Amino acid sequence: MTDLTDKVIAKGAEANLILKDFSDLFFSSDEPGEVLVKRRIPKKYRNEKLDKNLRDFRTVHEAKLLAEAKKAGVPTPVIYRVDRKDMEIVMEYVEGEAIKEILEGLDSSKRKEVCENIGQLIARLHSSGIIHGDLTTSNMIFSEDENIYFIDFGLGETNSDTEARGTDIHLLHRTLNSTHFEVAAESYDAIMKGYKDEMGKGAEEVIERVREIERRGRYVKKDER
């Protein structure tokens, strides 16, 4: 249940994001700053038991993926607590800006560096059998110490199939073309360079699958996509 003092910074279809003071949740700690609480909200149109089970699964599954991604060498928020009663993940609040907000404002050299890093991080996920599921520039945070954090694994899964990997990258390619049109080609090329450098063997198969997925899309009516 949302407290009147909660600072809701985003409301989504599945969850709300809330900022809280660290000391409000962890009373014995002197740790300064804020934490981010991702709280999955109930859906009244679903059967109550089914809804509870679904939210519980997604809460635990996302926390697991965040932890597994970190083990794979991908910066993700530190998880402080998983609350299966209130369907919450309490995690580190990463100070920084979404890649979506800064990508076009970077000079070409810096943008290529950032995008190559993004490609490397995606390859680390894929090499570890992790599919992000919502690879957009909104779900990547450029932190104050210039690390790139991947966030929001709510649609993620464990899957090593070429199709799943290709779909993951295809979504990012679409995001670049629709949101960052002026720098999309340069950015995507740099992401793919980083992906290939990190992934090594198997990268070309994934990239070819991305091309195949995009060819399929050209022959599907817009209202059927």
Side-chain angles (χ1 to χ4, degrees):
M1 187 143 185
T2 303
D3 190 278
L4 292 175
T5 61
D6 285 348
K7 188 192 300 183
V8 180
I9 60 172
K11 290 187 176 184
E14 294 292 329
N16 293 335
L17 298 180
I18 302 158
L19 275 184
K20 284 183 173 286
D21 288 335
F22 198 103
S23 58
D24 286 345
L25 294 177
F26 304 100
F27 302 104
S28 61
S29 174
D30 294 326
E31 185 77 19
E34 296 174 306
V35 295
L36 184 68
V37 179
K38 182 169 185 176
R39 179 181 296 156
R40 280 191 161 75
I41 54 179
K43 297 292 186 181
K44 293 183 179 180
Y45 60 81
R46 286 197 292 240
N47 173 274
E48 186 175 348
K49 184 177 180 181
L50 174 64
D51 178 70
K52 184 178 183 299
N53 290 340
L54 189 58
R55 288 188 294 126
D56 178 64
F57 171 79
R58 289 178 176 174
T59 299
V60 173
H61 188 62
E62 180 172 11
K64 180 181 178 182
L65 288 179
L66 283 163
E68 291 298 322
K70 189 177 289 294
K71 287 181 185 177
V74 177
T76 58
V78 174
I79 298 170
Y80 297 124
R81 187 173 72 200
V82 178
D83 185 337
R84 299 179 69 175
K85 178 177 179 291
D86 292 327
M87 309 303 179
E88 294 179 345
I89 303 174
V90 181
M91 68 189 93
E92 172 189 12
Y93 176 58
V94 179
E95 297 279 0
E97 296 182 89
I99 294 294
K100 177 182 179 180
E101 304 302 328
I102 66 167
L103 188 64
E104 292 166 58
L106 299 173
D107 64 60
S108 181
S109 176
K110 186 65 175 178
R111 182 162 48 247
K112 287 179 182 177
E113 177 189 327
V114 167
C115 287
E116 282 188 30
N117 192 3
I118 290 170
Q120 291 166 352
L121 296 176
I122 296 170
R124 290 178 193 174
L125 288 179
H126 288 180
S127 295
S128 297
I130 300 170
I131 300 300
H132 184 277
D134 195 14
L135 273 179
T136 69
T137 50
S138 296
N139 287 332
M140 302 169 188
I141 304 295
F142 192 66
S143 69
E144 294 180 342
D145 57 359
E146 298 200 353
N147 282 315
I148 298 172
Y149 283 74
F150 279 26
I151 61 171
D152 197 354
F153 283 72
L155 298 177
E157 62 175 320
T158 301
N159 192 332
S160 295
D161 289 349
T162 300
E163 178 76 10
R165 291 170 174 176
T167 301
D168 223 17
I169 294 174
H170 169 61
L171 175 59
L172 179 56
H173 197 188
R174 283 181 56 186
T175 298
L176 291 171
N177 284 329
S178 62
T179 309
H180 309 283
F181 178 77
E182 293 185 359
V183 299
E186 174 187 278
S187 299
Y188 184 69
D189 286 348
I191 290 170
M192 289 299 93
K193 180 181 184 305
Y195 187 83
K196 287 186 283 188
D197 288 347
E198 184 74 23
M199 189 78 162
K201 185 179 179 181
E204 285 298 339
E205 182 182 7
V206 175
I207 293 169
E208 178 54 39
R209 185 60 59 92
V210 176
R211 296 189 188 106
E212 181 184 322
I213 291 168
E214 291 175 346
R215 285 195 293 269
R216 289 180 214 155
R218 294 193 189 105
Y219 297 101
V220 178
K221 294 178 182 179
K222 287 184 178 180
D223 59 354
E224 295 178 356
R225 293 181 188 176

